[in-house]
Amino acid sequence: MCEAAAYIIRNGQEELLLEDVDLIEPEGDHLRLVSIFGEQKIVKAAIQSLNLVNHKVILVETK
Amino acid sequence: MCEAAAYIIRNGQEELLLEDVDLIEPEGDHLRLVSIFGEQKIVKAAIQSLNLVNHKVILVETK
């Protein structure tokens, strides 16, 4: 499987936001994350970086 | 393996930018993409969306 864990940087700290993420797409000025289990999160953030071999996506909060 | 193909939207068209991408990270106001074979590309773009099950990353050019 190829899912990744999504972390969000808040106040300089990396926090785990959602595991087993399959899909991240824009929804207005937010991002919608969907896991392989169908769990969804919507956050006001941008995708900062990806490390697919380490299965890690880093988001940053946007204003 | 968990690499993805990176596409960039230019003039409304999706173009293949780099295959087998492992890493995408900010480099100043650009993004640096690195494939599992060590090939690198630097583009002025932002990450728009991810579809990991389909191994696809979509970037958009930024001004």
Side-chain angles (χ1 to χ4, degrees), chain A residues 3 10 16 18 23-24 29-30 33-34 45 47 50 52 54 59 62:
Chain A
E3 67 285 353
R10 284 184 172 132
L16 180 62
L18 186 61
L23 191 71
I24 302 180
D29 63 349
H30 287 61
L33 291 79
V34 186
I47 305 168
L50 299 184
L52 295 179
N54 291 340
L59 310 179
T62 54

Side-chain angles (χ1 to χ4, degrees), chain A residues 2 22-24 49-50 52-53, chain B residues 2 22 24 49-50 52-53:
Chain A
C2 193
D22 161 26
L23 191 71
I24 302 180
S49 65
L50 299 184
L52 295 179
V53 168
Chain B
C2 192
D22 161 26
I24 302 180
S49 65
L50 298 185
L52 295 179
V53 168

Side-chain angles (χ1 to χ4, degrees), chain A residues 42-62:
Chain A
I42 292 179
V43 289
K44 196 153 192 302
I47 305 168
Q48 182 187 74
S49 65
L50 299 184
N51 189 321
L52 295 179
V53 168
N54 291 340
H55 297 248
K56 192 167 178 179
V57 179
I58 307 288
L59 310 179
V60 282
E61 279 196 315
T62 54

Side-chain angles (χ1 to χ4, degrees), chain B residues 11-62:
Chain B
N11 305 316
Q13 302 288 316
E14 232 175 62
E15 293 173 18
L16 179 62
L17 181 67
L18 187 61
E19 290 186 290
D20 303 308
V21 171
D22 161 26
L23 191 71
I24 302 180
E25 58 183 16
E27 179 147 313
D29 62 350
H30 287 60
L31 288 177
R32 188 166 68 97
L33 291 79
V34 185
S35 81
I36 56 171
F37 304 110
E39 192 181 351
Q40 294 196 24
K41 293 217 174 166
I42 292 178
V43 289
K44 195 152 192 305
I47 306 168
Q48 181 187 75
S49 65
L50 298 185
N51 188 320
L52 295 179
V53 168
N54 290 339
H55 297 248
K56 193 167 177 179
V57 179
I58 308 288
L59 310 180
V60 282
E61 278 197 317
T62 55

